[in-house]
Amino acid sequence: MTRRLQRLVQMFSLSPDDMAVEAMAFSSITRDERIRLVHKSISAEVKNLVAPRFQSALTQSKRWHPVFRQLLLELWSFLPDHNLNYVDKMSMGHGVEVRVPLLDPRLEEFVSELPLADLITLTETKRVLRHSQKGRLPDEVLDRPKQGFGVAFRSWLHGPGRELLEDVTSDSAIEARGLFDPLEVRGLREEFLNGRDVKSEEHTSEL
């Protein structure tokens, strides 16, 4: 069983709330593996810990369709904390002031009222966005696969950054912080350096 399939099977065995939160992990490392990484002295405290922003979104969307629940979680967390964070840093680094038109509150409010079938089907993602731009953008742009906004961390950590990786994840460094289990971190590091893909999966919204 592939790691991706293993993770999907695990997710579908969770409660609706836990599944929604787990889907936001964007990691090939399973939930159980992440829990084992935490130091034994605090693992019980963090095992079922949910960030307040996530908990608020889960409460508000209790009776929503899973897709709409996921959209709310992304809107309140991944979008500002990850995607827009990257955009802001990259643009300011080049002296460019960026505006994100598809996040206009009026547009977001309009889209939030659309039926699910206008957003995604079994064969088409970002449906209303693609259809709205027909004739404005070339088909090869509208129909191309999604492209992540990633950084080449893996090649860097296998190359010039390897010494730093080994230093900050050494048994003594991990033990001194008291947050993670040194043996589990060592195993994860060795698997990574030996070629197992343990990266956080590149993520851009499919909707």
Side-chain angles (χ1 to χ4, degrees):
M1 181 183 296
T2 65
R3 294 192 60 78
R4 184 181 293 270
L5 182 56
Q6 179 185 359
R7 187 162 178 271
L8 283 174
V9 170
Q10 182 194 51
M11 282 178 57
F12 284 119
S13 69
L14 301 173
S15 69
D17 281 5
D18 286 343
M19 183 171 65
V21 172
E22 177 64 15
M24 297 299 295
F26 309 121
S27 173
S28 60
I29 303 173
T30 67
R31 183 171 185 252
D32 291 341
E33 287 176 309
R34 294 199 302 276
I35 291 173
R36 287 200 300 271
L37 279 171
V38 178
H39 199 281
K40 303 298 186 294
S41 63
I42 60 173
S43 60
E45 299 177 42
V46 302
K47 184 175 182 179
N48 298 310
L49 187 64
V50 176
R53 197 186 310 174
F54 272 33
Q55 191 58 63
S56 180
L58 291 172
T59 300
Q60 178 176 322
S61 61
K62 203 72 174 177
R63 300 182 184 280
W64 293 12
H65 186 285
V67 169
F68 288 113
R69 298 193 86 193
Q70 214 61 52
L71 283 173
L72 184 65
L73 284 170
E74 292 208 14
L75 184 64
W76 286 12
S77 60
F78 193 82
L79 185 65
D81 295 342
H82 183 84
N83 287 340
L84 295 182
N85 190 7
Y86 275 16
V87 170
D88 190 49
K89 288 180 178 179
M90 295 294 289
S91 60
M92 295 301 287
H94 292 276
V96 177
E97 188 73 22
V98 171
R99 292 292 180 265
V100 190
L102 293 179
L103 292 184
D104 186 292
R106 294 164 297 180
L107 181 60
E108 188 274 330
E109 183 179 359
F110 168 74
V111 173
S112 69
E113 299 295 329
L114 293 176
L116 180 61
D118 284 348
L119 303 180
I120 187 171
T121 67
L122 290 176
T123 59
E124 187 177 20
T125 60
K126 300 184 177 74
R127 198 160 183 268
V128 68
L129 177 61
R130 295 181 197 274
H131 285 239
S132 71
Q133 298 307 306
K134 281 286 186 182
R136 293 187 175 93
L137 294 175
D139 288 346
E140 57 266 28
V141 172
L142 293 175
D143 299 333
R144 72 183 180 185
K146 70 173 183 177
Q147 294 180 302
F149 189 43
V151 180
F153 280 120
R154 282 177 296 157
S155 58
W156 185 76
L157 291 175
H158 276 99
R162 178 165 179 161
E163 184 177 346
L164 176 61
L165 169 68
E166 293 179 336
D167 180 48
V168 299
T169 61
S170 66
D171 287 1
S172 58
I174 296 299
E175 189 64 57
R177 296 187 185 98
L179 298 175
F180 299 102
D181 183 281
L183 292 179
E184 293 291 340
V185 172
R186 185 200 305 169
L188 194 63
R189 181 186 65 236
E190 294 308 311
E191 288 186 39
F192 171 77
L193 292 175
N194 289 330
R196 173 188 150 190
D197 186 5
V198 294
K199 72 181 188 309
S200 292
E201 297 174 4
E202 185 59 47
H203 173 80
T204 50
S205 175
E206 284 288 353
L207 302 175

